[in-house]
Amino acid sequence: QGQLVESGGGLVQAGGSLRLSCAASGRTFGNYAMGWFRQAPGKEREFVAAVRWSGGTTYYADSVQDRFTISKDNAKNTMYLQMNNLKPEDTAVYYCAVRVRPGSVRLQDYDYWGQGTQVTVSS
C-alpha cells in the first residue's frame, strides 16, 4: 500500500512563493504519474499539475501555467511543486496523488492520495 506525505504549505503574501513536497513510500514502483490537485473552500477539487514518472512530461492547469513548476526526484520518490507569484485565489488545500495505471493525468481517478497541506495567500 502506498503512502504519500505532503509538506511545505503555509501562509504567504500575494506575490510570494512556496514549495510543496510530496514524499511517496510503500508501493510506489511502476508509477505512471504523480499529480497535484487543490480544493478551495466551497469549491470542487481541481487539477493543478502532473508529471509523468517516466520521461518527465509535465502538465499544468491554465490558471497556474508559468507560475508553478512541478518536478520530481525519482531516487527519493519525491515530487515537488514550486509556486511563484502566488495569488489569493491560489488559497486551497493542496493534495498530491499517484496514478499507477496509464490514463489522463488531469482526471482525479488517481490510486493514492495524501492528506493535504493548506496553502493560504493573503492579499
Side-chain angles (χ1 to χ4, degrees), residues 32-33 50-60 70-72 74:
Y32 178 75
V51 58
R52 290 275 299 274
W53 207 246
S54 177
T57 303
T58 57
Y59 307 81
Y60 295 95
I70 189 171
S71 62
K72 61 182 177 66
N74 289 36

Side-chain angles (χ1 to χ4, degrees), residues 41-72:
K43 295 187 177 180
E44 295 186 352
R45 189 167 58 188
E46 64 177 3
F47 169 78
V48 176
V51 58
R52 290 275 299 274
W53 207 246
S54 177
T57 303
T58 57
Y59 307 81
Y60 295 95
D62 290 343
S63 59
V64 306
Q65 185 78 47
D66 298 327
R67 297 189 299 123
F68 291 10
T69 302
I70 189 171
S71 62
K72 61 182 177 66

Side-chain angles (χ1 to χ4, degrees), residues 8-12 18 20 83 86-88 90-94 117-121:
L11 173 64
V12 65
L18 283 175
L20 305 183
M83 305 185 294
L86 282 160
K87 304 176 180 180
D90 294 319
T91 295
V93 177
Y94 284 70
T117 185
Q118 177 71 46
V119 171
T120 303
V121 184

Side-chain angles (χ1 to χ4, degrees), residues 19-118:
R19 187 194 194 205
L20 305 183
S21 299
C22 175
S25 61
R27 189 209 180 277
T28 57
F29 55 89
N31 292 339
Y32 178 75
M34 291 185 73
W36 288 98
F37 293 79
R38 67 185 182 186
Q39 186 168 22
K43 295 187 177 180
E44 295 186 352
R45 189 167 58 188
E46 64 177 3
F47 169 78
V48 176
V51 58
R52 290 275 299 274
W53 207 246
S54 177
T57 303
T58 57
Y59 307 81
Y60 295 95
D62 290 343
S63 59
V64 306
Q65 185 78 47
D66 298 327
R67 297 189 299 123
F68 291 10
T69 302
I70 189 171
S71 62
K72 61 182 177 66
D73 184 331
N74 289 36
K76 295 182 179 180
N77 268 345
T78 301
M79 174 179 65
Y80 306 96
L81 186 67
Q82 177 66 43
M83 305 185 294
N84 297 328
N85 190 21
L86 282 160
K87 304 176 180 180
E89 50 264 42
D90 294 319
T91 295
V93 177
Y94 284 70
Y95 299 90
C96 70
V98 167
R99 172 183 285 279
V100 175
R101 301 154 295 171
S104 173
V105 299
R106 297 178 184 272
L107 298 181
Q108 298 195 30
D109 57 336
Y110 280 56
D111 299 280
Y112 303 103
W113 290 83
Q115 80 287 353
T117 185
Q118 177 71 46

